Amino acid sequence: MQNVQDYISKNKQRFLDELIQLLRIPSVSADSAFSQDVIDTSEAVKTALENAGCDAVEICETDGYPIVYGEKIIDPNLPTVLVYGHYDVQPPDPMDLWNSPPFEPIIKKTETHPEGAIYARGACDDKGQMYMHVKALEFMVKTNQLPCNVKFMIEGEEEVGSNNLAVFVANNHEKLANDIILISDTGMIANDVPSITTGLRGLSYVEVEVTGPNRDLHSGLYGGAVANPINALTKMIASLHDENNHITISGFYDKVENLSLEERAEMAKAPFSLENYQKALDIKSVDGEAGYSTNERNSIRPTLDVNGIWGGYTGEGAKTVIASKAYAKISMRLVPNQDWQEITQLFKTHFESIAPKGVTVKVKPHHGGQGYVTPIDTIGYQAASKAYETTFGKKPIPQRSGGSIPIVSLFEKELNSKTILMGFGLDSDAIHSPNEHFGVWNYLKGIETIPYFYHHFTEMNK
């Protein structure tokens, strides 16, 4: 790879301007009010792939939002890399916690990002990281250094469960045939401690509804005489963990993989400061399952968390009512071997069984996916490791992530392909939160590193 740093230096401002324009489009897939914006973003991605050098790019319609497919085939006998990413973003709420409008990107210098960070919804997850691959392709094509074939599959429904991606993949095995899949939708330990994600947790996401009386009631006339759905729901949720923060659902841990002491000791070698962790989150203490460290709790252990809860009157002032209904959204992060559909059913059976008399319960499954672990002795991992070592000057640390990318296990099942997770974001980038951002250094370092993966992967396949 010759002159990659020079190319980036000469085109730095354009690379930033293009990403900022993409971030201006509010492609919120969860809210139908933004449906046209999501479609507009797919068109913008199509144009970007064409400009970067793809010979064929198409908008592939689905029952939901479209998938953008592009390819640059230079020789069918050479290896093929399939890049996956997504152009949809999380809702920006709560809006009042943003320091700047979520779809009006700005670059601000911070202690973590002295060269500046781009603040906008989707900056890190995943527009910024997806766009690194587009610009890396541009560099390789423009300088005639693309060593193998490349395909792109960029979807618009990752943040709502990728419901239509499975059908697209199942129906397009030949189109998507590849030797390795490359994804940048994860992070690394620190800018001076590169890491490659080797494990992802699975996910089961449900919504629960608790119903009491057939209408909202006066809390003076009826309070103490009928079941209050909000009271019932909070008690039910509280019972889902015991005093050691173990999840109390029968059968929940039956298939959980317990890592050996040796494996846990290797994980503990990764740099981590509990003091800095608490300081960054402005908390006085951590919390979690007894017997495990913070890094183990958020990566190799399953969890259950309430993501939203509501019911009754939440407006300004007071309204003395017993609500007819109460709701909560609950996610369970799962570890490899836990089947998300089985866990969803276990949750449903358990939650319905603990409902007190006087209320009824509905459990509505939303979406989910399996966990994934990628071996570190494959050519794909070794090529990624060499790429990081080339640009960072040190070997990356293999690291399991607490996040979920459910489609990774789908890709292996349908396409018989391993996935390499080359993330360049940081834990502090506030993905899914107000003030999401992505370091300018990280964005450009990704563009610099990715071409080396192509180079090493091709060389190692000879």
Side-chain angles (χ1 to χ4, degrees):
M1 287 293 132
Q2 297 178 358
N3 304 320
V4 60
Q5 290 182 327
D6 289 343
Y7 190 88
I8 291 172
S9 179
K10 291 176 182 177
N11 293 279
K12 174 182 176 179
Q13 192 58 52
R14 177 171 63 84
F15 287 176
L16 290 170
D17 291 344
E18 289 179 8
L19 176 56
I20 285 172
Q21 285 301 112
L22 192 64
L23 291 169
R24 290 185 186 279
I25 313 175
S27 51
V28 181
S29 54
D31 189 340
S32 59
F34 297 94
S35 58
Q36 187 57 52
D37 296 297
V38 179
I39 293 170
D40 290 346
T41 308
S42 71
E43 293 288 348
V45 172
K46 177 178 182 289
T47 300
L49 287 173
E50 290 170 339
N51 292 340
C54 281
D55 292 329
V57 186
E58 58 182 307
I59 300 286
C60 302
E61 299 298 334
T62 72
D63 287 341
Y65 291 118
I67 293 167
V68 185
Y69 173 82
E71 64 179 30
K72 178 75 172 179
I73 308 299
I74 61 174
D75 184 343
N77 296 315
L78 289 172
T80 297
V81 176
L82 173 62
V83 176
Y84 165 84
H86 64 93
Y87 61 82
D88 64 320
V89 301
Q90 281 273 317
D93 308 76
M95 296 289 288
D96 59 335
L97 295 183
W98 284 81
N99 295 328
S100 56
F103 298 108
E104 296 179 19
I106 61 170
I107 296 177
K108 294 189 292 185
K109 293 183 179 181
T110 70
E111 182 178 347
T112 304
H113 298 290
E115 295 185 24
I118 307 169
Y119 281 75
R121 172 57 86 227
C124 183
D125 181 20
D126 178 46
K127 286 179 177 177
Q129 297 212 70
M130 174 270 291
Y131 209 68
M132 296 183 310
H133 290 272
V134 179
K135 296 296 96 179
L137 173 68
E138 176 192 310
F139 160 72
M140 290 184 287
V141 171
K142 300 294 186 184
T143 61
N144 196 30
Q145 294 187 79
L146 180 64
C148 62
N149 307 310
V150 60
K151 298 177 180 179
F152 286 82
M153 177 173 59
I154 314 298
E155 70 156 321
E157 296 182 309
E158 194 273 347
E159 300 292 5
V160 290
S162 301
N163 290 336
N164 293 290
L165 187 66
V167 175
F168 178 80
V169 172
N171 292 338
N172 290 279
H173 284 184
E174 184 175 350
K175 179 193 287 284
L176 300 173
N178 66 84
D179 296 284
I180 195 73
I181 297 172
L182 197 55
I183 300 177
S184 294
D185 197 12
T186 52
M188 57 184 182
I189 295 172
N191 284 354
D192 60 348
V193 186
S195 58
I196 299 175
T197 300
T198 57
L200 295 165
R201 290 196 286 192
L203 174 68
S204 169
Y205 196 101
V206 300
E207 182 175 325
V208 298
E209 174 187 303
V210 177
T211 303
N214 61 4
R215 64 185 188 278
D216 288 358
L217 302 177
H218 189 292
S219 65
L221 299 178
Y222 292 93
V226 299
N228 183 321
I230 300 176
N231 292 353
L233 175 60
T234 54
K235 289 178 181 178
M236 293 167 69
I237 288 174
S239 76
L240 294 175
H241 293 88
D242 66 15
E243 67 277 7
N244 292 312
N245 273 320
H246 288 110
I247 296 162
T248 57
I249 299 170
S250 179
F252 188 86
Y253 290 99
D254 285 357
K255 297 181 181 179
V256 170
E257 174 192 21
N258 290 306
L259 270 64
S260 68
L261 292 177
E262 290 77 13
E263 289 175 301
R264 292 174 67 182
E266 281 298 311
M267 284 188 62
K269 292 179 180 178
F272 177 75
S273 166
L274 183 60
E275 180 181 355
N276 291 343
Y277 184 85
Q278 293 175 172
K279 181 180 179 182
L281 298 176
D282 196 19
I283 57 176
K284 294 182 178 179
S285 177
V286 294
D287 188 43
E289 185 180 3
Y292 294 91
S293 69
T294 297
N295 279 344
E296 291 173 332
R297 290 167 178 167
N298 65 20
S299 63
I300 64 170
R301 299 299 295 171
T303 61
L304 185 154
D305 287 291
V306 178
N307 303 131
I309 185 168
W310 68 100
Y313 181 68
T314 58
E316 187 177 349
K319 184 181 182 183
T320 50
V321 295
I322 295 173
S324 172
K325 295 179 180 291
Y327 305 85
K329 293 181 185 289
I330 296 172
S331 65
M332 290 160 279
R333 298 286 177 167
L334 313 175
V335 295
N337 300 329
Q338 283 185 297
D339 181 83
W340 76 271
Q341 292 175 318
E342 179 182 346
I343 293 297
T344 301
Q345 186 58 49
L346 288 175
F347 175 90
K348 183 175 186 297
T349 300
H350 178 83
F351 206 71
E352 290 173 346
S353 73
I354 62 174
K357 293 180 180 179
V359 299
T360 58
V361 171
K362 290 182 181 179
V363 177
K364 177 185 176 183
H366 273 285
H367 61 273
Q370 310 294 71
Y372 181 80
V373 175
T374 184
I376 63 174
D377 59 355
T378 63
I379 289 177
Y381 179 87
Q382 295 300 326
S385 181
K386 286 179 177 292
Y388 278 92
E389 190 173 3
T390 300
T391 59
F392 284 81
K394 60 181 70 175
K395 284 188 176 182
I397 297 172
Q399 182 189 42
R400 291 203 186 190
S401 168
S404 302
I405 309 179
I407 43 79
V408 172
S409 57
L410 166 73
F411 291 159
E412 181 155 341
K413 176 184 175 183
E414 291 287 346
L415 302 175
N416 195 30
S417 300
K418 294 295 183 184
T419 295
I420 303 301
L421 300 161
M422 293 180 66
F424 293 87
L426 301 177
D427 284 346
S428 57
D429 286 345
I431 63 172
H432 291 211
S433 302
N435 303 308
E436 176 182 353
H437 55 281
F438 189 34
V440 171
W441 185 90
N442 303 70
Y443 173 54
L444 300 177
K445 182 60 75 171
I447 299 171
E448 177 188 350
T449 305
I450 290 166
Y452 285 102
F453 171 83
Y454 283 78
H455 169 74
H456 290 302
F457 186 70
T458 303
E459 287 295 313
M460 296 171 74
N461 270 283
K462 288 181 177 179

